[in-house]
């Protein structure tokens, strides 16, 4: 928790190497030689200078734009902590001012950032105190020095709790020159995760009650009772109704019992369910996720819940492409007509995407000067266009004439479509070459870091390496995302777009991997054990590739998992997860029919409408309202869950009305 350092006596002297602390120390040594009243006056003057310097530093840091884990200090002033904040009081009993710096434990190879300066104390038992607010989302390491560049007194790693009150005491140990830094809890923090735990238990309880209710209603005895009640009510209605007739009543009942003569296409409920799960989590995250850090995108390397859903959505889109193209070809559609539909749909997606990520269209014509071009729907449009065109080139209308006993059939999803695989391999080779070989001015070749204060601040303007450079070169700084997640922890100032040009290649890859899942469903139709085993083989293979690329670490691998870059390991990891999750949902929903997929299947059937709608109406009631306490996780979580539930309800009502928005 702490590390003690021996503080040299001020009388030992020191080189005033051009910094204010060294200069003041030299002045104190000189005043010490004079002694008496002059020494005391000089010491007081020195303390006044130190206090002025502290105020200047605090003011400078207040102007700094970092808002991640720490805000600034106020001497002798009570601070009301906000959400994900705690109060830290630094008490300095040393006869020299202490410079307090901090670094997030979530920040890889980062520089310490200045927090403030605590003036020198008046002696033992008479400390100088300054209050600071510190972040509680991640652990931080505090560094205390008596000079910004020369001497470290101690470092204190600590994970503060939300709304807690803490004191850090800095004093000489047993009247010696050794410095001791100790943390004391003045007021216990609150449990900021209690609201989400309660919400999880409530939703789980509702799911259990729904399952129990469905099981009870499915019992033959209950069905018989309900049928008798229905017949009795129908008889009473016919007797009391002037328009009723026995003949008409029998016809109505018969129509409700007999299946429709139309044979609707068999739709895999598991795909709609998986798509709906991804979409609902995406909506919840976009609405704020209760303002919890794990429902926000990772600042750079690593994964949070928010980083999972978009690749899964792209994956399921690829699976749907395989099934849709095969169905249309068997129905007699020509490849040229389908190609035109693919191009037109991609163009529509792209245009809609440009509109919804530039919300100023409500105030008049869009301004080209600040128009953001990349975005989620734009990335979907590009991935859909490429993967659908590849599948149109190689898809087979008939699959029932292929010999399943042939030696090559276990690899049919690769062998039969090798031309498409070759194109994807070429695209991925292009990504690797551009990422690791493209020279970027002022940056090391192959740089994958966040820039800013990462990598010891050596490459501050190199955010994203080649990916960021290509976007800025092709699109310009003003047409890409201005507030990337890297600025939260790594304090970056360079615009960077996580849906940029270079990452689109890897979104094509995960859509293509989803396409292979569709091919497996087509080639092994109704052979559930074969489908499940093939899915598990793909999931395991992609997981092994991810383990090799990342070296099973967050930051030390060849290619770390990174959503901002849409790195190769990010795609293989999320595709591996997708195959495993699809196996589970497919087995439960389509094989065993233990679950209908409700309520997630409903938004999964109307995904474009739900996504566009939640973006357009985000700021309107009932999706958002003025909260009584905007610094409460509970209120944010309640608002975001209710807003997300509204879209589930809307999609259910649209399903009942058979309204589906297709592009």
């Amino acid at each position: 928790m702490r590390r003690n350092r021996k503080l040299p006596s001020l009388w030992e002297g020191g080189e005033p190497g051009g910094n204010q602390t060294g200069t003041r120390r030299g002045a104190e040594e000189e005043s010490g030689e004079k002694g008496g009243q002059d020494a005391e006056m000089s010491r007081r003057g020195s303390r006044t200078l130190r206090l002025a310097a502290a105020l200047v530093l605090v003011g400078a840091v207040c102007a700094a734009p970092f808002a991640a884990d720490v805000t600034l200090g106020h001497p002798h002033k009570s601070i009301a902590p906000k959400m994900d904040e705690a109060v830290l009081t630094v008490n300095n009993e040393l006869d020299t001012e202490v410079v307090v710096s901090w670094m997030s434990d979530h920040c890889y190879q980062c520089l310490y950032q200045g927090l403030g300066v605590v003036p020198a104390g008046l002696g033992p038992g008479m400390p100088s105190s300054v209050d600071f607010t510190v972040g509680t989302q991640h652990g931080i390491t505090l560094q205390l020095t008596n000079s910004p560049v020369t001497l470290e007194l101690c470092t204190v790693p600590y994970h503060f709790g939300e709304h807690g009150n803490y004191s850090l005491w800095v004093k000489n140990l047993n009247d010696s020159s050794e410095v001791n830094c100790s943390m004391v809890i003045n007021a216990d923090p609150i449990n900021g995760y209690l609201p989400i735990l309660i919400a999880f238990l409530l939703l789980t309880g509702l799911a259990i009650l729904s399952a129990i209710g469905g099981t009870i209603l499915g019992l033959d005895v209950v069905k018989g009772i309900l049928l008798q009640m229905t017949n009795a009510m129908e008889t009473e209605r016919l007797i009391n109704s002037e328009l009723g007739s026995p003949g008409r009543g029998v016809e109505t009942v018969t129509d409700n019992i007999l299946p429709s003569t139309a044979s609707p296409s068999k739709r895999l409920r598991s795909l709609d369910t998986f798509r709906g799960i991804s979409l609902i989590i995406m909506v919840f995250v976009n609405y704020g996720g209760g303002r919890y850090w794990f429902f926000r995108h990772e600042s750079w390397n690593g994964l949070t819940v928010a980083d999972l859903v978009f690749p899964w959505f792209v994956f399921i889109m690829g699976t749907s492409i395989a099934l849709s193209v095969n169905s249309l070809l068997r129905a007699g559609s020509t490849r040229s007509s389908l190609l035109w539909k693919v191009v037109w749909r991609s163009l529509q997606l792209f245009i809609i995407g440009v509109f919804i990520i530039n919300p100023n269209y409500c105030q008049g014509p869009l301004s080209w000067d600040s128009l953001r071009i990349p975005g989620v729907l734009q990335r979907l449009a590009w991935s859909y266009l490429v993967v659908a065109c590849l599948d149109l080139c190689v898809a087979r209308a008939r699959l029932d004439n292929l010999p399943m006993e042939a030696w090559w059939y276990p690899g049919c999803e690769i062998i039969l479509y090798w031309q498409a695989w070759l194109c994807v391999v070429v695209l991925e080779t292009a990504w690797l070459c551009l990422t690791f070989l493209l020279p970027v001015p002022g940056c090391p070749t192959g740089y994958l870091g966040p820039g800013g204060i990462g990598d010891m601040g050596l490459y501050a303007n190199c955010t994203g390496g080649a990916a960021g450079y290509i976007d800025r070169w092709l699109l310009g700084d003003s047409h890409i995302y201005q507030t990337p997640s890297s600025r939260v922890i790594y304090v970056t100032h360079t615009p960077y777009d996580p849906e940029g040009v270079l990452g689109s290649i890897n979104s094509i890859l995960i859509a293509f991997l989803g396409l292979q899942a569709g091919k497996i469903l087509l080639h092994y139709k109704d052979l559930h054990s074969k489908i499940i085993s093939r899915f598990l083989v793909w999931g395991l293979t992609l997981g092994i590739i991810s383990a090799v690329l990342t070296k099973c670490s967050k930051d030390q691998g060849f290619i770390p998992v990174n959503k901002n870059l849409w790195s190769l390991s990010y795609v293989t990891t999320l595709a591996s997860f997708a195959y495993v999750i699809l196996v589970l949902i497919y087995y439960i929903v389509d094989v065993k029919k233990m679950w209908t997929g409700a309520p997630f299947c409903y938004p999964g059937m109307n995904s474009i409408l739900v996504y566009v709608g939640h973006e357009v109406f985000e700021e309107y009631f009932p999706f958002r309202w003025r909260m009584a306490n905007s610094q409460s996780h509970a209120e944010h979580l309640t608002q975001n869950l209710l807003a997300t539930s509204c879209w589930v309800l809307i999609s259910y009502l649209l399903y009942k009305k058979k309204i589906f928005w297709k592009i």
Side-chain angles (χ1 to χ4, degrees), residues 301-376:
N301 294 335
L303 288 174
T304 64
V305 176
D307 298 322
L308 304 177
V309 289
F310 185 28
W312 288 347
F313 194 87
V314 178
F315 180 93
I316 290 298
M317 180 184 70
T319 306
S320 300
I321 288 173
L323 302 180
S324 177
V325 169
N326 177 264
S327 175
L328 291 171
L329 288 177
R330 284 190 292 107
S333 299
T334 62
R335 296 178 192 265
S336 58
S337 64
L338 294 180
L339 178 62
W340 164 246
K341 291 181 180 179
V342 166
V343 173
W344 175 236
R345 189 183 190 202
S346 302
L347 182 60
Q348 287 179 289
L349 279 174
F350 191 92
I351 294 173
I352 294 172
V354 170
F355 270 90
I356 66 172
I357 64 169
N358 294 281
N360 291 332
Y361 62 82
C362 294
Q363 303 171 4
L366 291 175
S367 172
W368 174 253
D369 294 338
S370 58
L371 185 75
R372 182 188 172 195
I373 298 176
V376 171

Side-chain angles (χ1 to χ4, degrees), residues 425-659:
V425 170
V426 170
L427 285 174
E428 197 56 40
T429 303
W431 182 87
L432 290 169
C433 292
L434 289 172
T435 300
F436 292 102
L437 300 179
L438 180 69
V440 179
C443 306
T445 303
Y447 182 68
L448 298 176
I453 62 172
D455 299 298
M456 308 312 295
L458 297 175
Y459 317 113
N461 297 319
C462 295
T463 303
Y469 174 69
I470 290 174
D471 286 342
R472 292 189 293 272
W473 177 62
L474 286 177
L475 306 175
D477 286 356
S478 59
H479 299 300
I480 59 178
Y481 196 39
Q482 300 298 306
T483 56
S485 60
S486 57
R487 72 173 188 156
V488 177
I489 298 292
Y490 291 94
V491 200
T492 60
H493 302 286
T494 304
Y496 180 82
D497 207 309
E499 277 79 49
V501 176
L502 193 57
S504 298
I505 295 177
N506 281 338
S507 70
I508 292 171
L509 175 61
I510 195 169
F512 189 75
L513 291 172
L515 185 80
Q516 304 317 302
K519 297 297 185 185
I520 292 171
L521 291 169
L522 291 172
H523 282 278
Y524 298 97
K525 186 177 181 180
D526 297 329
L527 301 176
H528 301 311
S529 60
K530 292 284 188 180
I531 291 173
I532 291 172
S533 62
R534 296 298 297 171
F535 280 178
L536 291 176
V537 167
W538 272 101
L540 178 62
T541 303
L542 291 167
I544 293 173
I545 294 173
S546 297
V548 172
L549 292 175
T550 62
K551 298 182 181 179
C552 297
S553 68
K554 178 183 175 184
D555 299 296
Q556 304 291 337
F558 301 109
I559 304 178
V561 173
N562 190 296
K563 190 265 179 188
N564 282 287
L565 295 172
W566 273 69
S567 62
L568 178 58
S569 59
Y570 174 69
V571 167
T572 55
T573 300
L574 270 297
S576 174
F577 291 169
Y579 270 110
V580 174
I581 294 173
L582 187 56
V583 163
L584 296 175
I585 298 176
Y586 175 77
Y587 180 78
I588 295 173
V589 174
D590 287 321
V591 178
K592 292 298 183 180
K593 302 189 185 302
M594 299 165 58
W595 177 35
T596 62
F600 301 106
C601 59
Y602 305 125
M605 295 178 185
N606 240 327
S607 55
I608 297 298
L609 185 145
V610 171
Y611 182 82
V612 173
H614 102 276
E615 288 278 3
V616 173
F617 298 103
E618 177 181 2
E619 300 297 331
Y620 298 92
F621 184 84
F623 309 107
R624 184 152 300 174
W625 61 83
R626 181 175 297 177
M627 290 180 286
N629 181 9
S630 63
Q631 299 302 318
S632 166
H633 278 295
E635 287 205 43
H636 279 282
L637 184 63
T638 301
Q639 184 184 83
N640 301 150
L641 284 175
L642 287 177
T644 306
S645 301
C646 285
W647 286 110
V648 176
L649 178 60
I650 291 170
S651 61
Y652 171 73
L653 295 176
L654 292 174
Y655 168 79
K656 297 297 288 184
K657 296 292 185 180
K658 302 189 183 303
I659 299 174

